[in-house]
Every structure is written in C-alpha cells, then in structure tokens.
C-alpha cells in the first residue's frame, strides 16, 4: 500500500524568505504522480504543483518548485520569496495510474499536512 | 468556467439524524470523488464515480454512508443516523478523465458538525 508522510506539522518563516516543506512516500510503483495542494482557511484545496514520476526534471510554477528524488522517494516543495498569502495548510499527495481499463480511479493518497505561517 | 461547488457550506445536525451533502462538478468532468477530512488530518478517500460505470465504494467507512450521481453530473453524499465521529469536512473533487487525466479540482467542502 502507498503511504505519504509529511514530517513537519508546522513551520513559520518571515515574509520574503525561502521555505522548504518535506514529503516522503512509499510505493512499489514505477509510474505515478505527485502533487502539492494548498488549503487556506477558506478550505478550498488548490493545486500548487504536480510532478510525473517518469520525468526527471523538477516541476516549477513561478515561486514554487519541487525537489523530486525518485530513488529516495522524496518530494519536497520550495517556496521562494514567500508572501503573506502563502499562509495555509500544504498537503502532499500521491496517485498512480489505474491498473486496468476497468479501473480508472486516480484516488489520491494524502499526507497529514504542514501548516505554513508567513510572518510579516 | 465555474469550479466545483458544494452545498451546504456548513451543516450542524443532531446525532441520529440523516444528512445530505451536494456536489456540483466542473461541467464536462466525468470523474467525481468524495473525500473526508477529519480535524488536523489529511484527506481520506470515500467514493469515486466515473461516467456511467459502477462507483468505487471501497473507501466508505460504514453502511451508513452512501452516494449517488445523477445524470453523470451532480452527486449527493448521504450519511444516515449520524454519529459524532462523522464530524469532518467533506470535500468533493472532479477530474476530466478524457483529457488531463491525473489532476483533481476541489470544491470548498461542507463542514459537518454532529452534536
């Protein structure tokens, strides 16, 4: 069974600093997808960034980038030039492609989340 | 276009009552998921719908939980004889299984409180 672990329950940094959130996962699959989602107090779960396991190049989205280490099963999120609006819960999630045409379920396996606080 | 919407935003009920939670997916998205988020925890998969196929109910925690999806669009999650441990945020997500096959888009959730 797949598992996702986020070892940092809470982190806080000053505005404009860089912060890295950790995520490790366990799977025997070779092909899969990894995600970081952001959940602000509004509860809306917002996709931050996604990574396809077969791509060695780390995904980037503006100030957000990942360090994907497939052999180590590590998928950390780096937020550069942090902003007050980045304050939120951050969840790491994993999914694998369905195993057959009869099964199209891409259900996500989630970590417990990291509460990130950006201080002014 | 509009995102995933859920109603009600908040629901307070008494133990033993039945509740219905509604999800309107993004138009054209054929896949729909329900997840439960208990306080301070990650999300737990409940049920998955894809088109007209039989739903994957493997995540439903008990037979008090059921869900349906009418016309391949709107979905309703029903919890019968609610218990205090059912208190959580219930999140719905939809996905365009015909195109971008691996990214789910979430609604704002329904916070259920069972007294």
């Amino acid at each position: 069974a797949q598992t996702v672990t986020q070892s940092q329950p809470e982190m806080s940094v000053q505005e404009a600093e860089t912060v890295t959130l950790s995520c490790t996962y366990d799977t025997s699959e070779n092909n899969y997808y990894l995600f970081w989602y952001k959940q602000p107090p509004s509860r809306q779960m917002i996709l931050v960034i996604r990574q396809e396991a077969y791509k060695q190049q780390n995904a980037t989205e503006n100030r957000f980038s990942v360090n994907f280490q497939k052999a180590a099963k590590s998928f950390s999120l780096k937020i550069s030039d942090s902003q007050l609006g980045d304050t939120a819960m951050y969840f790491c999630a994993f999914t694998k492609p369905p195993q057959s045409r009869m099964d199209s379920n891409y259900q996500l396996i989630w970590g417990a989340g990291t509460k990130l606080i950006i201080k002014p | 276009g509009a995102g995933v919407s859920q109603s009600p935003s908040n629901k307070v009920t008494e133990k033993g009552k039945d509740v219905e939670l509604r999800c309107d997916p993004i138009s054209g998205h054929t896949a729909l998921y329900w997840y439960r988020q208990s306080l301070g925890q990650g999300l737990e998969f409940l049920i998955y719908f894809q088109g007209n196929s039989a739903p994957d109910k493997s995540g439903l925690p008990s037979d008090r939980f059921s869900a349906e999806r009418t016309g391949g669009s709107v979905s309703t999650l029903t919890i019968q004889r609610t218990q205090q441990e059912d208190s959580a945020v219930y999140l719905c997500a939809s996905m365009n299984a015909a195109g971008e096959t691996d990214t789910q888009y979430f609604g704002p959730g329904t916070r259920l409180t069972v007294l």
Side-chain angles (χ1 to χ4, degrees):
Chain A
Q2 290 81 20
T3 59
V4 177
T5 302
Q6 293 180 250
S7 59
Q8 305 151 313
E10 183 169 325
M11 296 185 71
S12 68
V13 297
Q14 294 293 137
E15 190 176 10
E17 289 184 346
T18 294
V19 59
T20 298
L21 308 183
S22 300
C23 173
T24 59
Y25 57 95
D26 188 25
T27 183
S28 58
E29 302 290 332
N30 188 51
N31 186 27
Y32 48 87
Y33 305 94
L34 295 162
F35 304 84
W36 279 98
Y37 279 90
K38 166 185 176 180
Q39 187 180 41
S42 66
R43 292 200 312 252
Q44 184 85 45
M45 196 71 79
I46 301 165
L47 176 67
V48 175
I49 200 165
R50 62 185 282 275
Q51 175 81 40
E52 298 164 14
Y54 63 87
K55 290 186 177 180
Q56 293 186 337
Q57 185 173 5
N58 289 325
T60 62
E61 287 288 344
N62 301 313
R63 297 183 295 107
F64 299 87
S65 62
V66 298
N67 183 3
F68 174 48
Q69 301 290 327
K70 191 173 184 180
K73 296 179 182 175
S74 172
F75 183 61
S76 61
L77 174 69
K78 185 173 82 170
I79 306 174
S80 303
D81 185 27
S82 57
Q83 300 174 1
L84 297 179
D86 296 333
T87 293
M89 286 290 295
Y90 285 80
F91 291 93
C92 179
F94 166 101
T95 191
K96 61 179 175 65
Q99 301 304 292
S100 70
R101 288 196 303 172
M102 299 301 293
D103 170 21
S104 58
N105 188 351
Y106 282 84
Q107 71 177 83
L108 290 162
I109 310 298
W110 298 80
T114 296
K115 183 177 182 179
L116 176 64
I117 299 170
I118 308 300
K119 297 181 289 186
Chain B
V4 179
S5 61
Q6 292 186 245
S7 61
S9 179
N10 293 282
K11 177 70 176 179
V12 180
T13 191
E14 295 179 347
K15 178 181 174 181
K17 301 282 189 181
D18 297 352
V19 295
E20 285 189 351
L21 313 179
R22 177 187 169 103
C23 172
D24 280 273
I26 293 172
S27 178
H29 280 194
T30 57
L32 187 148
Y33 297 79
W34 283 97
Y35 293 89
R36 179 170 68 176
Q37 184 178 23
S38 300
L39 185 62
Q41 298 184 21
L43 278 68
E44 170 192 15
F45 166 76
L46 296 178
I47 189 168
Y48 161 71
F49 294 91
Q50 170 56 44
N52 296 319
S53 301
D56 179 345
K57 305 179 182 179
S58 60
L60 294 178
S62 78
D63 58 8
R64 296 186 296 104
F65 287 73
S66 63
E68 63 178 18
R69 189 178 184 193
T70 55
S73 181
V74 172
S75 177
T76 302
L77 176 69
T78 301
I79 308 173
Q80 295 179 309
R81 305 181 302 281
T82 51
Q83 303 294 312
Q84 289 182 332
E85 61 263 28
D86 299 335
S87 294
V89 175
Y90 290 82
L91 289 160
C92 174
S94 71
M95 184 174 80
N96 180 7
E100 195 179 49
T101 58
D102 55 81
T103 300
Q104 298 176 27
Y105 297 90
F106 285 80
T110 294
R111 180 180 298 280
L112 175 65
T113 303
V114 182
L115 301 176

